[in-house]
Amino acid sequence: MTDKKNTGGISRRGLIGSGSVAVLGAAASKTQAAPGSGKIRRWDIDTDVVVVGAGAAGLPAALRARELGAKVVVIEENTDVGGHAIVGNAITNLGGGNALQQKYGIKDSADDIYLEYTRPDHPMTRYNDRELVRSFADHNVEVYDYLVAKGVMFTSTPPSNHPAEGSTIARRIGMNRSSDDFKDTINNTAGSGLIRPLERAARAAGVSILLQHRMVRIVREDPVAGRVMGIVATDLASNKTVAIRARRALISCTGGSSSNLVVRTIYDPKLTEEYQVGCEPYSRQSGDSEQLGMAIGASLGSTGGARNEMYLSIQKTAFIGCRFGYARWDPRGPYFSRAGASGIAVADYQDLILVNTIGDRFYDETVGLGRTNTDRGWSVFYDYFAQAMSSAVMEIDGKKQRVGGPVWAIFDSDAVQRERWDPRHPFVDIANGYFFSAPTLGELASKLRNNPYQKYPMAAASLERTVSRYNSFVDGGKDLDFGKPSPKYKIQKPPFYAAWATPILHDTYAGLRVNKNWQVMDVFGQPIPGFYCAGEASGGMTQHGVARCLVGGYVAATDAMKGSVRG
Amino acid sequence: MTAPVDDEAVELDGPMPSEPSHVTSMAVWDMPSVAIAGRTAHVKVGVTCSLGCSLVGHLVTVRDESGTTLGEALLDDPVGASEGLNWAQVIFEAPIFMGVSHLSASFTANDGEVTHLTCSTAFSVMTDPVPDASICLQVIFAPTGQALEDVEVRLGRYFTYTDGYGRARVDIPKGDYLCEIRKEGFAAAPFNVAASGDLSLLIKADKGETREELEARLSAMENYPWG
């Protein structure tokens, strides 16, 4: 295990509190300073490259910059490194004819990558930035070799292909988890096989990693002009602010914006507060790069990718009855207390119905994760989500209003038996209001108000009517409302249950506009000197997994160090 | 129930706070998957009070769509994990016409001092003709021939579970049915059964997904069905 307290020898002189960062400007102290305004009178830390975020983009960026001669400081808001990557599976779509592909006789090239990821006939690829994809494609083999050299624990099995991403060539490489130690792997996940070797290499090379530091401002020479000079961060442990000068570059890799209500509703106003995000609660898709970048004049890019209504920008929750159902949170993990419960998996969506915040069904429950009517094509998935987020209509203050709100899985004790669920903690989150039981549907409906996102009471009569109608479909063998194939089981035997089953936001697929070197562009289409953005916070390329993050971080650091002694 | 009066209490404007309502709610369960037209059927009806009152001895009634009483019973003590649900089994005559009938159960309190609000709920029942075909079946694990116990076997809306020998019997009206099985870790493709009389079926199951495999697959976010 690495020492999480290690700051890599950085002198913490001046890290003495908010007074150490004197923000000059009109709105400086009493209210929060307007981001990007005011000059920094004294820098607490002076370095060459500041990397924000220690995940799949930030760590290779930091390591690469360090190896090219820079003094590098990484800040990470979490109490450990890894971001989303370490609690995911670190799916890595790196091809181009790399050594693993060659070993298995898979023919691939940079041109193949470029052409596939700019396909006009596939919703995952048609919005991609051609210049950026070209650069991504041209660096695939180089980055793969680099990662192998750093000890990244790729599996040796043949790469696979995932047509949903628009590709036809096997490039998807798996990862082995770094160890059997939960402290090391966080949630026993394979992403640790990517992150821990990179972390070790970075620390060994002299990269300084400041945990529990969050970027709160990007400092530019002038509010929306000139070079990026550095950042202001908050030390979350002490609540003190730290000004960090980046003499050569800021590489911001904050992991997308799906957790940021303001930014995500830029892309889709339906994405209101109730939707959880994949990899939360370990890491957030904070939107810090996007929000703070826009505040200094940066532009968003390829926003069409964010709502391409395809694949993993939004998904059905894999595990119901808990707030964070993207993956199964293991009670043995060190961050389980944040998750609250591990959730329960649904083997057969015939065992339940899904209702919206007012107690109405809204779609065929079998559509989505692992259970689908594939004959209706992929558009059916987003149709499901659109209904999940918009089907509820309420009358508020005398006016009709369309609202989102939670989606609840409603089932009975027979379903619990069929599914072999254990409806208790740690499998379901009762304490925080994500799982309820009651002897009648009427009581169940009234209990839902204890969920923090169930803003309006669900009428008991509404839920009773919905279940009664559904049960009559089971009798008749046909779902007259939504076409669920041959509804099989009535919901009738008490106790009744309601489990949180609200959709999960996942990949952002849009962010700050960057050029082929992952340098951030301003709203006038010009690169911002000293400012790079990689990973999910950058726009331009829609691809699931960590490959675009790894390549982006690597290329950004390489470009930032151009002209240096070793760069 | 009356709130205690405090002599020092400040006089309030407007009406005094009312007593909490004894709101009741209901569940109806254990309907047969199919009732036989014109024959006796039964359901369990449970009622609970939001303030936790015992409702033993109160009446529940089952009615048809026209409001005609089909059956009634008095509520008994809660059982098992029913969380305070007083319940009764109501016996009634199933509708004589085939298909889905919409019935209702209602609770009207015969209270003394406490006034419980009434409640009712709708439910449905499927009525079929008298079964005239018996399907005897056995489910085995194809690779080993091992009999599979506790397999849910469905023939349309009829279902049963296999015994320790993997055997079960379902009595159904003659007709065409889709046969499906369900048991964790095992799978068999659904197939059509033309039941023109008594039949014997041997259902060969293969390995299916276990719960552990399901959770691992969902955690891995692999094998999405689209693309």
Side-chain angles (χ1 to χ4, degrees):
Chain A
M1 285 294 297
T2 49
D3 177 9
K4 303 298 183 291
K5 302 294 183 189
N6 174 24
T7 58
I10 280 289
S11 165
R12 299 298 302 273
R13 65 166 177 77
L15 302 189
I16 53 173
S18 56
S20 71
V21 180
V23 180
L24 304 178
S29 57
K30 283 189 178 177
T31 57
Q32 187 174 348
S37 67
K39 297 201 181 295
I40 300 295
R41 195 163 56 194
R42 191 179 76 198
W43 296 99
D44 299 298
I45 298 173
D46 194 333
T47 192
D48 296 323
V49 172
V50 173
V51 175
V52 183
L59 285 176
L63 181 55
R64 176 68 172 163
R66 179 72 189 130
E67 289 174 342
L68 293 175
K71 285 198 299 182
V72 181
V73 172
V74 177
I75 70 162
E76 164 58 53
E77 71 169 0
N78 208 347
T79 50
D80 201 347
V81 301
H84 326 319
I86 198 169
V87 290
N89 292 285
I91 291 165
T92 308
N93 289 288
L94 281 176
N98 62 43
L100 190 64
Q101 288 178 308
Q102 288 179 31
K103 176 182 174 183
Y104 290 103
I106 298 166
K107 295 206 178 305
D108 194 11
S109 69
D111 280 348
D112 288 331
I113 295 172
Y114 171 76
L115 291 173
E116 290 204 331
Y117 279 106
T118 54
R119 279 173 61 178
D121 61 336
H122 197 286
M124 276 286 280
T125 54
R126 61 169 58 123
Y127 301 104
N128 284 346
D129 183 303
R130 295 170 192 167
E131 184 187 48
L132 190 73
V133 175
R134 184 73 251 179
S135 179
F136 169 81
D138 290 343
H139 287 91
N140 262 227
V141 173
E142 183 179 346
V143 170
Y144 173 81
D145 291 342
Y146 181 78
L147 295 170
V148 170
K150 301 304 171 193
V152 167
M153 300 165 71
F154 290 123
T155 58
S156 56
T157 53
S160 60
N161 178 42
H162 213 301
E165 295 170 356
S167 62
T168 62
I169 296 172
R171 303 189 184 98
R172 176 181 272 224
I173 309 170
M175 199 74 68
N176 293 308
R177 68 171 182 265
S178 57
S179 73
D180 293 329
D181 182 354
F182 271 90
K183 289 179 183 170
D184 193 49
T185 64
I186 306 299
N187 198 35
N188 207 29
T189 33
S192 56
L194 168 71
I195 292 299
R196 293 305 184 195
L198 289 175
E199 180 198 10
R200 280 193 292 272
R203 288 185 188 274
V207 171
S208 304
I209 300 176
L210 302 179
L211 298 174
Q212 291 188 274
H213 282 65
R214 182 183 180 191
M215 178 172 69
V216 295
R217 182 186 155 191
I218 298 170
V219 182
R220 208 171 171 183
E221 282 177 297
D222 291 309
V224 290
R227 181 178 185 79
V228 162
M229 308 291 289
I231 65 167
V232 177
T234 297
D235 180 341
L236 300 174
S238 65
N239 204 32
K240 294 174 180 175
T241 52
V242 184
I244 308 175
R245 184 175 191 180
R247 289 183 177 273
R248 189 170 279 273
L250 163 64
I251 305 175
S252 197
C253 311
T254 51
S257 61
S258 294
S259 302
N260 186 312
L261 193 60
V262 172
V263 180
R264 78 192 193 193
T265 50
I266 291 173
Y267 304 129
D268 184 347
K270 293 194 300 296
L271 304 183
T272 41
E273 63 180 353
E274 57 272 37
Y275 305 105
Q276 65 268 32
V277 177
C279 300
E280 287 180 347
Y282 181 72
S283 63
R284 296 185 314 129
Q285 297 200 24
S286 70
D288 288 345
S289 297
E290 296 90 326
Q291 218 163 13
L292 300 178
M294 285 191 284
I296 61 159
S299 171
L300 294 177
S302 300
T303 54
R307 300 261 48 90
N308 61 28
E309 303 195 354
M310 172 64 189
Y311 203 41
L312 286 176
S313 59
I314 184 170
Q315 66 184 68
K316 211 167 178 175
T317 185
F319 295 86
I320 65 172
C322 61
R323 169 70 173 161
F324 304 104
Y326 161 73
R328 187 176 187 280
W329 285 96
D330 196 308
R332 294 169 292 179
Y335 289 84
F336 181 75
S337 60
R338 287 190 193 177
S342 56
I344 51 179
V346 182
D348 190 346
Y349 272 87
Q350 290 283 356
D351 285 323
L352 53 81
I353 60 170
L354 297 174
V355 301
N356 60 22
T357 193
I358 58 174
D360 291 341
R361 289 179 71 218
F362 55 89
Y363 215 82
D364 167 8
E365 289 83 358
T366 63
V367 166
L369 203 65
R371 304 280 165 185
T372 183
N373 299 325
T374 50
D375 57 328
R376 283 191 274 171
W378 61 54
S379 67
V380 71
F381 297 101
Y382 204 83
D383 288 347
Y384 166 87
F385 295 119
Q387 290 297 328
M389 294 187 286
S390 295
S391 61
V393 177
M394 303 187 70
E395 188 158 314
I396 302 170
D397 297 332
K399 294 182 178 179
K400 298 282 187 195
Q401 290 198 28
R402 200 175 282 284
V403 299
V407 169
W408 295 103
I410 305 293
F411 49 91
D412 67 358
S413 61
D414 283 339
V416 171
Q417 293 292 320
R418 288 192 299 271
E419 290 271 356
R420 288 205 303 122
W421 285 326
D422 185 348
R424 297 177 300 176
H425 190 264
F427 303 105
V428 294
D429 190 351
I430 299 167
N432 295 306
Y434 295 95
F435 190 87
F436 300 94
S437 67
T440 64
L441 290 165
E443 283 200 16
L444 188 68
S446 68
K447 285 185 174 182
L448 297 181
R449 191 64 196 273
N450 294 318
N451 173 272
Y453 299 98
Q454 182 73 31
K455 289 184 180 175
Y456 307 100
M458 181 188 289
S462 173
L463 184 61
E464 289 171 347
R465 185 172 56 245
T466 296
V467 171
S468 173
R469 182 168 172 80
Y470 178 78
N471 287 345
S472 74
F473 296 159
V474 175
D475 282 328
K478 190 170 185 179
D479 176 2
L480 300 176
D481 290 339
F482 301 105
K484 184 176 186 174
S486 303
K488 286 191 176 70
Y489 305 106
K490 287 187 175 181
I491 298 165
Q492 58 169 343
K493 187 170 183 181
F496 298 95
Y497 299 92
W500 178 265
T502 308
I504 294 176
L505 308 182
H506 195 178
D507 294 347
T508 300
Y509 291 152
L512 293 182
R513 185 178 182 184
V514 293
N515 65 13
K516 66 179 181 179
N517 296 315
W518 276 265
Q519 188 173 8
V520 176
M521 310 292 283
D522 69 16
V523 291
F524 301 105
Q526 298 301 311
I528 298 176
F531 188 18
Y532 295 80
C533 180
E536 287 208 75
S538 62
M541 188 172 173
T542 302
Q543 183 201 51
H544 183 56
V546 295
R548 66 189 170 116
C549 307
L550 296 163
V551 173
Y554 178 91
V555 173
T558 305
D559 191 68
M561 293 304 292
K562 266 184 187 167
S564 70
V565 175
R566 295 165 64 182
Chain B
M1 217 159 44
T2 308
V5 176
D6 183 350
D7 291 337
E8 301 296 317
V10 177
E11 195 171 329
L12 298 173
D13 291 333
M16 290 292 289
S18 59
E19 293 178 9
S21 298
H22 288 253
V23 176
T24 59
S25 59
M26 174 181 282
V28 177
W29 72 100
D30 271 2
M31 276 295 304
S33 57
V34 179
I36 298 170
R39 292 197 181 172
T40 298
H42 55 82
V43 290
K44 292 189 175 77
V45 179
V47 185
T48 185
C49 167
S50 59
L51 297 182
C53 299
S54 169
L55 299 174
V56 172
H58 291 265
L59 187 70
V60 289
T61 307
V62 170
R63 296 186 174 88
D64 65 14
E65 281 180 278
S66 70
T68 302
T69 298
L70 302 180
E72 54 190 23
L74 299 177
L75 293 172
D76 205 343
D77 285 321
V79 289
S82 57
E83 299 186 34
L85 197 64
N86 294 95
W87 69 285
Q89 179 164 277
V90 182
I91 299 170
F92 64 97
E93 187 177 295
I96 55 172
F97 51 86
M98 310 304 161
V100 180
S101 295
H102 297 275
L103 311 180
S104 65
S106 60
F107 164 82
T108 306
N110 48 352
D111 287 323
E113 294 180 6
V114 175
T115 301
H116 284 94
L117 302 181
T118 60
C119 68
S120 64
T121 194
F123 66 100
S124 55
V125 58
M126 179 74 192
T127 47
D128 262 3
V130 176
D132 50 4
S134 285
I135 311 299
C136 295
L137 55 92
Q138 186 181 29
V139 184
I140 62 169
F141 183 44
T144 63
Q146 175 198 353
L148 295 179
E149 184 180 8
D150 201 29
V151 180
E152 177 188 306
V153 183
R154 300 184 70 89
L155 285 158
R157 51 184 166 264
Y158 291 83
F159 65 92
T160 186
Y161 294 87
T162 58
D163 62 15
Y165 300 98
R167 293 183 178 130
R169 182 180 132 169
V170 195
D171 294 331
I172 56 176
K174 291 174 182 174
D176 296 327
Y177 296 88
L178 182 68
C179 183
E180 300 169 277
I181 70 162
R182 178 173 179 178
K183 182 177 175 67
E184 185 195 329
F186 300 91
F191 60 98
N192 292 311
V193 173
S196 55
D198 294 349
L199 273 179
S200 293
L201 297 175
L202 179 64
I203 303 172
K204 297 178 179 178
D206 292 313
K207 186 181 180 310
E209 190 172 52
T210 65
R211 177 149 292 277
E212 291 70 27
E213 290 167 341
L214 166 73
E215 292 183 356
R217 175 170 63 82
L218 292 176
S219 284
M221 295 291 153
E222 293 286 353
N223 300 325
Y224 287 126
W226 65 93

